[in-house]
Amino acid sequence: MNSTLAEFRNLVGTKFEMYNSLFTSLPFHRVEKTGILLSLFLLHCEEGFKNEQSPADIIESFFRQYTSYRDEKDQLDLLFRFIQYSERQVVLFDALEDAAFSATHDMNGSGTLKQLQTEVIQNNAEKQLSGKLKDFSVRMVLTAHPNQFYPSAVLGIIHDLGKALQKDDTVLVNTYLQQLGKTPFFNKKKPTPYDEAVNLIWFLENVFYHSAGNILSFLHSAFPDAVKGQNQLIRMGFWPGGDRDGNPFVKADTTLRVAEALRGSIIKCYYREVRLLKGRLTFQGVDTLLATLEERLYNNLFIPGYKADLSKEEIVSTLIEIRDILIAKHNSLFLSKVNNLLNKVNLFGLFFASLDVRQDSSIHSELVELIADKTTVLPKNYKTLSPEAKIKALQNINSLVVDTDIAKDAFETLLAIKTAQKFNGIEGCHRYIISHTTSAVDVMEVYGLFLMSGWKKEHLSIDFVPLFETIGDLRNAAKAMTVLYQNEAYQEHLKRRNKTQTIMLGFSDGTKDGGYLMANWSIYKAKEELTRISREYDVEVVFFDGRGGPPARGGGKTHQFYASMGQNIANKEIQLTIQGQTISSNFGTREAARYNTEQLMHAGISNGLFSSRTTTMSKSEEQLLQDLSDESYEAFIVLKENPDFLEYLNFASPLRYYAEANIGSRPSKRKAGKLNLNDLRAVPYVGAWSQLKQNIPGYYGVGLAFQKLEKEGKWDQIMDLYQNSLYFRTLMGNCEMAMSKCFFPLTAYLSNHPKYGVLWNMFHDEYERTKKYTLLLTGKSELMAERETDQLSIQMRQRIELPLITIQQYALTMIREKGSKADAAEMKIFEKLVMRCSFGIINAERNSA
């Protein structure tokens, strides 16, 4: 057993058993009996699934064998108490993992900046590092996607519980567990976009502010000659309040309120730190400067009318003056504390996180066509013009849309961006992301809308970020960007934006559209082609990856993807979304945030400095991956086009209840009406498969592709590719993770269903097929065998959630069987069971949606 695994068993596994026993003595309604019965129920579930029983059979036999409850009301009451108990077990496990993070991860080992320091010294690469760090950065963008099931109050308890567990303070742990028992785990009403923003600002204030500051301090100390100038090596991005794609509740005033909250939050952080500095820097010449700065920050926080009166430059110049005095007159005493704050001010400015605005391209098209019809700003026949003629009309706009009734909020949003820049600085809100970009016209329509709202071309401090998502759009991305790069007006705009073009590539809809392998490979190929085209036009391209938590949405071991990129893919920056649970699971504590941020930074920096040309795949290797992707794609299309495919998911999973779970402000579908794959959002789509324990988007088609190429005599080539390509190994490693979280016995009762049995058996066969070939590739006897700690964590979490997934499937079965025969009140209880189980299941999975 390796040392990390031993630490995990000791600090997480053993402690979980010990503290879990505290639940049995907590003073809640019948909780002691609940704890004992839940332990019996878990064992009964395990035995029942081994004997191929259905969830309904398991629950019915449990009540007969272990309880005297015969009345349905008493039985349902116990099931709800099981859910409450299990939810809190998940929280305890989360807190234990967080508390043990530093012990179960080598904070100075592989992929950390400490290792980078060793590599730079060994390779005598200080000069190359200095060149790389001139404009390299990692931008982590916190998004508003509705897959965080913990309310902010519970997140706070997890944070405090983790600290108490680190200190082994049993009395305090017991107190927090009692608090947990009385704290609701679900929202009574949907959060507003502003509520979502406030919840995520908590992470900025309490985690990222400190971890980013510590990383920068280490870099300045380790590489004083390389880390210079104003380059922000770490950048934070923010979507709540700016992301209006499919969210009708995000308005212009929401964007302004969130921008103001971000500004207030970072000033509050500076104010706290300046107050702490005052207690140390009590020296002549320094104390008065600090007192003045403290007063300026206080006024900006609490006195109306001061907002435009403070600038980042003023704070920086004051701190530099203090630093110079310390060096000249006070033996550099506490200099590191001043430098630490200075690093943070240079990093976060007065905006804390850059607020991105995002909208779907179809909304812009409808708006532009309406403007053409109702005003003289555009030709009346705009809708029927060729793409070339549309672009020409859009780039030559020289009058405003003055009719305030036309798309009022859209234009107010464009002006709100200008207001946010005035108070927070240009970096505070400078990106407009265009979802579902299919052509250059989609980008130029947004360009034209800015001109119509009063922005001047020469002062257009906005980066237009096309988002390519579907397989078709990814294949067409280079063509769309070529048209833009050739356009004179857009060329001029790029010159004013440092000849840098950010392009966003979305994993979620790609997986939904083309399956796991094809989505990942299409993004890789799009990056290659976009890099080539951009270099041809002398444009610095930056890729922004829209990644969710699970492998099916581009998640998993994300940093390995960046480490595996070849030399023919631009890596000036690493930019990615961090969503929902991934924020709390990977960045929920300062230690975890520092470790995972360093992993991303190391991947990007070392790839640029030390990566040999062998990282770049050969033509034959690329062709092999293309063949695998094509075969996988064909298999997935057959599945996707099955008329029962989406109906099966709706029938067997809690998909239809996502919108009622009050976990996010955004609807689960882009448009009202009949359920279809295009309009269904990726979070409920992937999350529903996850709760069903089938995880289809994370592996379907992979096994069929392997089987086809093996029959063609190419298995040895696939084995060689696995040995030689970090990219392919990373793809398969994340595929392993998706399969490790499957549990087909849960739904085996559907294998003989007259309508859906065929699909269930297709899914199960492909799971077994993909697993077989994956184990052949790895040479192991079980999935994730090389990642023992992660494997154990998943196994322990699956035991905790087994009662929940059993109860959820039982409730879904009751809803289907009782149907119209059940009265409304009874049906509502079963639906509540389904939704309440969702919270615990999703939280136990940590990166399931």
Side-chain angles (χ1 to χ4, degrees), residues 721-740:
L721 180 67
Y722 185 79
Q723 295 299 321
N724 298 331
S725 170
L726 177 58
Y727 174 76
F728 186 50
R729 287 200 303 278
T730 302
L731 269 184
M732 293 311 301
N734 283 344
C735 190
E736 280 188 80
M737 184 190 292
M739 288 190 289
S740 293

Side-chain angles (χ1 to χ4, degrees), residues 577-596:
T577 53
I578 305 174
Q579 303 181 3
Q581 293 163 297
T582 313
I583 299 171
S584 55
S585 61
N586 289 358
F587 300 89
T589 65
R590 294 175 193 179
E591 293 83 3
R594 176 166 184 174
Y595 179 83
N596 285 302

Side-chain angles (χ1 to χ4, degrees), residues 396-558:
N396 292 321
I397 290 170
N398 53 21
S399 58
L400 309 182
V401 173
V402 292
D403 186 343
T404 54
D405 291 331
I406 297 178
K408 184 180 177 183
D409 183 70
F411 284 112
E412 285 182 350
T413 296
L414 303 186
L415 295 175
I417 294 172
K418 189 177 285 188
T419 303
Q421 288 191 357
K422 177 184 175 184
F423 290 114
N424 294 17
I426 288 175
E427 284 188 86
C429 190
H430 67 97
R431 306 203 307 181
Y432 196 108
I433 297 162
I434 304 144
S435 299
H436 289 109
T437 297
T438 61
S439 69
V441 173
D442 292 332
V443 177
M444 292 306 291
E445 283 184 335
V446 178
Y447 176 88
L449 286 169
F450 270 87
L451 299 182
M452 292 178 213
S453 71
W455 285 75
K456 301 296 182 186
K457 289 181 181 180
E458 59 273 18
H459 301 302
L460 191 49
S461 49
I462 300 294
D463 296 315
F464 299 105
V465 182
L467 167 51
F468 300 101
E469 300 177 86
T470 66
I471 304 303
D473 291 344
L474 288 164
R475 288 172 176 169
N476 193 50
K479 182 181 175 184
M481 293 312 300
T482 300
V483 173
L484 281 175
Y485 291 158
Q486 289 176 345
N487 179 269
E488 190 176 336
Y490 199 76
Q491 281 178 11
E492 290 301 314
H493 175 71
L494 283 179
K495 283 179 186 174
R496 290 189 289 269
R497 302 301 297 159
N498 298 318
K499 297 188 80 173
T500 300
Q501 173 67 55
T502 302
I503 299 174
M504 189 172 181
L505 303 162
F507 283 78
S508 302
D509 282 313
T511 308
K512 189 158 58 97
D513 186 45
Y516 178 73
L517 262 187
M518 180 55 87
N520 279 279
W521 183 238
S522 295
I523 287 172
Y524 187 95
K525 291 302 291 179
K527 284 185 175 181
E528 274 193 334
E529 192 63 10
L530 288 165
T531 300
R532 185 185 67 78
I533 291 293
S534 300
R535 286 171 179 169
E536 188 178 314
Y537 287 92
D538 195 26
V539 173
E540 187 80 62
V541 67
V542 173
F543 294 118
F544 176 23
D545 291 317
R547 295 177 178 272
R553 297 187 58 229
K557 297 295 182 182
T558 307

